[in-house]
Amino acid sequence: MEETIKQEVIQLRKEYMKKYFGRLNAVQQEAVFAVNGPLLILAGAGSGKTTVLVNRIANLVSFGNAFHSNEVSENITKEDIQELTEAVKTGKKGSFNFQQKLSVRPVQPWQVLAITFTNKAAGELKSRLTSLIEQGGDEVAASTFHSACVRILRKDADRLGYPKNFTIYDSDDQQRILKDIYKQKEVDDKYLPVRTAASRIGHLKDRMISPQEATQQSEDHKEELTAKIYVEYSKRLQAAGAFDFDDLIYFTVRLLEQNPDIQQYYQNRWKYVLVDEYQDTSHAQFRLVQLLTGHGNVCVVGDDDQSIYRFRGATIENILSFEDTFPGAKTIRLEQNYRSSQTILDAANNVIANNTGRKGKTLWTDNGAGEKIAVYKADSEQDEAQHIATTITQNIIEGAKLQDHAVLYRMNAQSNIIETYFARAGIPYKIVGGLRFYDRKEIKDMIAYLSIVVNPQDDLRLRRIINEPARKIGTTTVDVVADIANGLGVPMLEVIAEAGNYPALSRAENALTGFMSIYHNLQHAYEELPADEFVEQLPVITGYEEMLRKEGETGQTRLENIQELVSSVKTYVNQQGADAGLEGFLEEVALISDLDSYDDDADAVVMMTLHAAKGLEFEHVFMVGLEEGIFPGEMARFSVEDIEEERRLCYVGITRAKKILHISHADYRMLFGRTRRYPPSRFLDEIDTDLIEYSGVKKSYLSEQKQSSYNAESYQKQGLGSARTTITHEKKETAQAVAFNVGDLVEHKIFGKGVIQKITPMAGDTLIEIDFEMAGTKKTMANYAPLSLVQE
């Protein structure tokens, strides 16, 4: 090929690729085309990082290193050049075969590993890749850290002395084991709480410190005691053939470190590794990334300004020191925001600029200035809650949807009073991070049954259900079985199967034999039936269904939950195909996070902590309780490091808002049974006042009222305090003046028209049950509901 023609093809190819990825801005394209070597993408909030990740993988698979290469395929014909010229003119995409001719060393889809932090994000990534890449998009390994580690351990856990069919323990299982260890070793929970020990053990694993190393590094008695508990805890997990969540990464790192052949296998398999949310990685996760990236083709995407999980073991140093760790690394900053107004971004920039531990970037947008930030000064937490409920109701009247609103708070305890006011106003809401479906007792019991069928070594799950339903197998009997099993070094099921051979179990022999009969029936059904049919039979075989039917209405609700579990297994089987097994389903359940269960289709106001809100966005965001001692928290104020993390959390909260950001703070707040005055948060002072529109109780009026009548005891007795605004009293009096009767046709500002079915006097108010034409039956309090009588 002549040099002039070659150069023409190279130039045309670049223009074609720019148009192919034309939906991206110039900086995003730069990140997509940077193929080889270490790459750090600093992606600001709302800057389209997922889009960049997806398109970067699409470029790897479809074009390889074509954009920056001077190579041209010898297979390109004059017709291809003509087609390329036409495609550049028209913007029309060529066929897969045509693009392959343009490519330079394209990557096979299965050679790419993309790691995200939630299953939902991994699923979205895979779905978008499948639609974007014509062939092989579904072959890209897109998963969470934990899911990727599970796959690796399933193949080679035996190298570490664990069974390949290991069980994954959740935090509840972990605490059950620790409580048993505390009992055995006579550890005082008040001296070293179980939750504290669990957290410390998790942090040791995050830092890749083994139980033996922990015993050698202890500097005080509590650390020494934690290390001893860690040693015993690890022994029990190994005996049960189980890993906890932290183990999945800890032992995968150990596996790769101790077995060069396995490490080389995965380095050759995954030639390109991409990691999302890199600012939230722990030391163990960082080490895992290092071990997997033998070719140096590692791309990490993250935002140092959104590193908010230090309490979980995440270290911001991983992203701050990326260039030092991976020599020759390139850094690209994504600063254009597609989510928020410029006013919201300016506020976020104002706040985060006060941090010193950051790489630095400034968010901007083409969305326009937008509305000012609405800062509401409340006199109390009740006033704050009333204001939020009133504002949301007004937004709904003006056409907004309930699901467009999110209330974000620093700690879960703040939600209670807001929930109360939402209930009074008839505003539907949902809390993210509450009791998950898989945390319900009956579901955990079913999962325990499934676990012991899949892994007979799982003594912890066995202990949970051996007497559930009641089978006259008491705690004393179970402890004797455990002692015998520990002495013999075998699982408890083996001892139960031979109960007649142990005199200490003679009185419980019949009961244990009965349980073993049930277990054998489960094993037989497991071997004979497809996974979904087996789960359907599980409550019948175990007697669990019969037990719940005797509980009446409560039992019926729990049975419905179990049926929902059956539906989940059916869905899993349908998605995975004929080879779908219980092991895979149990894996999926174990790896579900709170955000994975977040349903953005339900029309309700969303309530959650600021930590849980990361990665989400809403038209209207209410950040509540911006007060010193609340946000930032009391303890954080004594550490520069902690304050900077709190400030990053504030930055995350601000950048969740797309259209309007509401911030509120209260003069006085009752929290944990104590009423005290909280000064406004320093984060409020860091926002330029030109960006803010203030409202709420007038300072002079408040001061006068507080000086004349305030004391904590009288404030608690009054409930709402003495400094309520006039409009609140007017609204309440209007609501009380309306007399409602059963059968009245009423209209609600959110739910429309409905007929009153029931009226119940309650605590100086009236609980009304209404059957709405469109929304079904709802309950609300008369004094606070936006209700009016309809004259027929």
Side-chain angles (χ1 to χ4, degrees), residues 196-355:
T196 302
S199 177
R200 290 186 176 186
I201 290 171
H203 285 308
L204 288 168
K205 291 177 183 178
D206 279 336
R207 302 201 308 274
M208 293 305 302
I209 298 173
S210 69
Q212 292 69 33
E213 290 170 334
T215 59
Q216 297 166 8
Q217 297 178 15
S218 304
E219 295 183 356
D220 58 38
H221 184 259
K222 283 191 177 179
E223 285 190 5
E224 183 182 343
L225 181 58
T226 301
K228 288 179 180 177
I229 293 169
Y230 182 18
V231 170
E232 179 61 25
Y233 174 71
S234 299
K235 286 180 181 176
R236 295 204 183 189
L237 258 65
Q238 186 163 15
F243 292 122
D244 66 20
F245 230 53
D246 297 312
D247 283 334
L248 295 176
I249 295 172
Y250 174 86
F251 279 107
T252 301
V253 170
R254 289 285 183 243
L255 179 70
L256 297 175
E257 286 177 337
Q258 295 169 12
N259 299 277
D261 59 320
I262 297 177
Q263 181 186 353
Q264 187 174 12
Y265 169 79
Y266 286 106
Q267 286 182 351
N268 290 334
R269 177 177 174 179
W270 294 317
K271 295 188 183 296
Y272 287 83
V273 177
L274 299 91
V275 184
D276 193 10
E277 304 287 5
Y278 190 67
Q279 77 282 347
D280 293 330
T281 53
S282 66
H283 173 72
Q285 289 166 331
F286 157 75
R287 182 70 183 126
L288 178 64
V289 172
Q290 268 192 319
L291 291 166
L292 291 175
T293 54
H295 298 277
N297 294 320
V298 55
C299 167
V300 302
V301 184
D303 184 0
D304 50 320
D305 292 332
Q306 295 189 70
S307 179
I308 58 173
Y309 294 118
R310 190 155 60 96
F311 67 96
R312 291 183 185 171
T315 170
I316 194 173
E317 288 304 316
N318 288 347
I319 196 167
L320 294 180
S321 62
F322 182 83
E323 293 97 334
D324 297 329
T325 306
F326 297 95
K330 181 175 184 176
T331 300
I332 295 174
R333 287 171 168 80
L334 303 181
E335 298 175 302
Q336 183 175 359
N337 176 284
Y338 293 92
R339 174 192 300 158
S340 309
S341 68
Q342 189 61 55
T343 296
I344 291 171
L345 298 182
D346 286 344
N349 290 331
N350 285 168
V351 171
I352 203 64
N354 291 277
N355 271 8

Side-chain angles (χ1 to χ4, degrees), residues 451-453 455-459 462 465-466 481 485 490-499 512 515-516 519-520 523:
S451 297
I452 65 170
V453 172
N455 176 15
Q457 290 178 234
D458 194 346
D459 289 350
L462 172 67
I465 48 79
I466 193 170
V481 171
V490 299
M492 289 173 62
L493 274 171
E494 288 191 25
V495 174
I496 294 171
E498 303 291 335
L512 292 173
F515 173 77
M516 207 62 207
Y519 182 75
H520 287 317
Q523 280 187 314

Side-chain angles (χ1 to χ4, degrees), residues 440-454:
R440 291 177 168 89
K441 182 185 184 304
E442 60 273 14
I443 301 304
K444 291 184 80 70
D445 286 346
M446 292 298 103
I447 295 297
Y449 272 114
L450 295 177
S451 297
I452 65 170
V453 172
V454 171

Side-chain angles (χ1 to χ4, degrees), residues 55 146 238 373 400 413 415 477 680 782:
N55 282 275
H146 293 94
Q238 186 163 15
I373 293 160
S415 75
T477 299

Side-chain angles (χ1 to χ4, degrees), residues 663-698:
I663 295 177
S664 57
H665 63 100
D667 249 14
Y668 293 86
R669 183 180 298 275
M670 182 190 291
L671 201 59
F672 306 120
R674 180 187 176 196
T675 299
R676 55 174 286 192
R677 183 166 190 161
Y678 292 94
S681 170
R682 69 188 69 190
F683 303 147
L684 268 176
D685 291 336
E686 292 169 358
I687 300 174
D688 188 336
T689 55
D690 291 340
L691 302 173
I692 296 173
E693 183 176 313
Y694 297 94
S695 65
V697 181
K698 294 179 181 178

Side-chain angles (χ1 to χ4, degrees), residues 567-595:
S567 298
S568 298
V569 179
K570 286 183 184 292
T571 300
Y572 174 79
V573 170
N574 291 337
Q575 290 174 343
Q576 301 298 320
D579 296 331
L582 283 179
E583 296 91 339
F585 176 74
L586 290 172
E587 244 174 53
E588 192 171 88
V589 170
L591 299 177
I592 288 174
S593 71
D594 286 342
L595 272 185

